[in-house]
Amino acid sequence: MRIIFFFLILTITKPAFVQADEPVWPEALQTAKNTARMNDLEREVIFELNKVRSNPKRYAELYLEPLYSAYNGKIYTYPGQEPTLTKEGNGALMECIMALRKTPSMPVLEPAEGLNKSARILVKDQQFGGIGHITRNGSTPQKRMEMYGEWDIASAEDLAYGNYDARQIVIALLIDDGVPDRAHRHNILNPKFHFVGVATGKHPSYKIMCAIDYAGAYKNKE
């Protein structure tokens, strides 16, 4: 069993733009569409994850390549948002686009109730402050996952802070600015993962946070 977890801090304060002519994606990618006890943003995050996993090249062409002009040196200004200082400039974006062009499609992620609950524990724990994967009582992502089920093969967790839009959460994790090993991108594009849980909530410093828990196999406790 392999354990991986990483977090990403974002400081974006406004929702991302909505593409005027949104391409049609297969209905089958909306695996969380009818999942109970999830809000719209959480369902949309899973939809975005499945878009990029099902067709990485198309995702890069539609949503990443147009962002090249959003950079001025290391300043990144996404339409509708305030300028953000990046660590790498558009180099990280271009490297991501090249990686997605070469990545084959992979299985979509199915929501797992236990993983949703695991992610929600962390979100609730940080509603009064803090960042990172460990709760104030010392629970790791894997311990939280095991509270509600059994995971196998591999597990991981990604965190994003300060972004209200599902696509921008996923894009930021894919670009992975300032993260040398691009660990967040590898989590999203890991073909070993088949199950996912997502939770979003308020954060005192970043306004909002998103926790994404992945597992290769997962069996919910009855």
Side-chain angles (χ1 to χ4, degrees):
M1 295 186 293
R2 189 181 180 193
I3 299 172
I4 321 164
F5 53 94
F6 301 93
F7 72 92
L8 174 71
I9 299 175
L10 306 177
T11 55
I12 299 171
T13 58
K14 299 179 182 178
F17 77 102
V18 177
Q19 188 167 325
D21 299 316
E22 176 66 18
V24 176
W25 291 85
E27 182 75 15
L29 301 183
Q30 298 191 51
T31 55
K33 182 178 180 179
N34 299 314
T35 302
R37 292 184 289 276
M38 293 186 77
N39 62 40
D40 289 342
L41 177 57
E42 292 160 357
R43 295 187 183 97
E44 289 166 6
V45 168
I46 293 179
F47 188 23
E48 287 298 316
L49 291 170
N50 284 337
K51 287 178 186 178
V52 67
R53 286 172 65 91
S54 68
N55 197 330
K57 183 176 182 291
R58 184 187 188 213
Y59 197 90
E61 292 173 348
L62 289 174
Y63 306 128
L64 293 175
E65 290 182 11
L67 295 179
Y68 185 81
S69 61
Y71 288 84
N72 181 10
K74 291 187 177 181
I75 302 298
Y76 173 66
T77 307
Y78 196 84
Q81 298 182 355
E82 296 177 358
T84 301
L85 178 63
T86 66
K87 294 184 178 180
E88 301 178 66
N90 62 21
L93 171 69
M94 298 308 296
E95 187 263 333
C96 179
I97 291 170
M98 293 177 65
L100 290 178
R101 286 174 178 170
K102 297 183 293 184
T103 301
S105 61
M106 61 199 71
V108 299
L109 297 168
E110 297 288 343
E113 183 178 3
L115 295 178
N116 287 336
K117 291 179 178 179
S118 168
R120 196 162 304 285
I121 287 178
L122 185 67
V123 171
K124 289 184 177 180
D125 186 76
Q126 294 185 5
Q127 64 181 323
F128 301 110
I131 60 173
H133 300 275
I134 312 301
T135 63
R136 284 174 290 180
N137 68 3
S139 293
T140 64
Q142 285 68 37
K143 286 184 178 179
R144 287 185 271 110
M145 294 178 195
E146 291 162 3
M147 290 174 63
Y148 301 105
E150 298 178 6
W151 66 271
D152 200 359
I153 303 174
S155 66
E157 180 172 84
D158 284 341
L159 304 179
Y161 296 85
N163 203 312
Y164 293 87
D165 179 81
R167 182 167 301 154
Q168 280 305 292
I169 288 172
V170 173
I171 286 177
L173 292 168
L174 286 169
I175 295 175
D176 231 1
D177 178 68
V179 182
D181 61 1
R182 311 299 190 208
H184 306 94
R185 183 193 307 160
H186 293 318
N187 284 341
I188 293 175
L189 300 177
N190 189 338
K192 293 182 179 180
F193 292 141
H194 295 270
F195 295 92
V196 67
V198 177
T200 60
K202 294 181 180 180
H203 191 277
S205 299
Y206 298 97
K207 306 301 182 184
I208 191 169
M209 68 173 291
C210 177
I212 306 173
D213 286 358
Y214 309 89
Y218 194 81
K219 182 179 180 180
N220 293 307
K221 286 185 177 180
E222 298 181 359

